């Protein structure tokens, strides 16, 4: 499968497929059976997760991969204990819902300026960062 974006054709490498029923109080299952979760609204009691947590998990995992790519470009190795604490806020202003995010990045053994450079490069290659750029407020914190 190929898609067209800005008059260029992109090769699709992977398509994640899920079926969700019941919205925030329902279930979501991947078509390959590897994901099968109960959904709940943020702050609700009981089992289940919510879209904000899923988005945070996906973005942070992808961002670590992008930081590895960035570090390699700088002739560095990403620490094995590198981590990203992603926080996704569901916001309400004037009756309209929106998101905002904070990515707190820990790169043990890498100085703060180099870590900042790695994070900046990662934001240019991470698909989640590219998808949210200019659409939501994103704060990047180097720990």
């Amino acid at each position: 499968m190929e898609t067209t974006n800005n008059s260029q054709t992109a090769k699709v490498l992977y398509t994640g497929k899920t079926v969700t029923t019941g919205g925030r109080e329902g279930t979501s299952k991947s078509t390959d059976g590897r994901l099968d979760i109960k959904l709940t609204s943020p702050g609700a009691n009981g089992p289940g997760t919510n879209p904000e947590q899923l988005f945070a998990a996906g973005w942070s995992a992808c961002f670590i991969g992008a930081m590895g790519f960035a570090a390699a470009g700088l002739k560095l190795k990403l620490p094995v204990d590198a981590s990203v604490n992603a926080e996704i806020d569901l916001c309400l202003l004037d009756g309209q819902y929106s998101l905002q995010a904070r990515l707190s990045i820990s790169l043990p053994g890498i100085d703060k300026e180099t870590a900042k450079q790695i994070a900046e490069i990662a934001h240019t290659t991470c698909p989640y960062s590219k998808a949210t750029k200019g659409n939501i407020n994103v704060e990047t914190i180097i720990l």
Side-chain angles (χ1 to χ4, degrees):
M1 177 180 207
E2 294 181 347
T3 60
T4 302
N5 183 8
N6 297 331
S7 75
Q8 294 180 349
T9 302
K11 179 181 177 187
V12 175
L13 301 176
Y14 175 76
T15 301
K17 299 177 185 178
T18 62
V19 176
T20 301
T21 57
R24 287 183 176 270
E25 300 300 325
T27 61
S28 191
K29 298 177 183 180
S30 63
T31 56
D32 65 4
R34 298 181 78 182
L35 177 73
D36 186 352
I37 57 171
K38 178 170 177 25
L39 299 170
T40 58
S41 293
N45 291 328
T49 189
N50 58 66
E52 292 73 26
Q53 289 174 330
L54 294 169
F55 187 61
W59 193 352
S60 58
C62 186
F63 199 79
I64 289 172
M67 288 194 304
F69 181 78
L74 297 172
K75 307 287 190 249
L76 299 170
K77 185 169 171 46
L78 201 65
V80 294
D81 52 351
S83 66
V84 175
N85 176 5
E87 298 175 82
I88 306 297
D89 299 324
L90 176 62
C91 305
L92 180 63
L93 178 64
D94 297 328
Q96 298 292 315
Y97 291 99
S98 64
L99 299 174
Q100 64 185 24
R102 284 171 305 289
L103 301 179
S104 297
I105 298 162
S106 175
L107 298 175
I110 295 181
D111 68 87
K112 206 164 193 168
E113 282 305 310
T114 304
K116 182 179 177 185
Q117 185 180 11
I118 289 170
E120 287 172 356
I121 295 168
H123 273 303
T124 67
T125 60
C126 174
Y128 284 77
S129 293
K130 290 197 277 186
T132 59
K133 184 177 182 179
N135 295 316
I136 68 171
N137 291 327
V138 178
E139 180 181 5
T140 304
I141 303 158
I142 306 298
L143 302 174

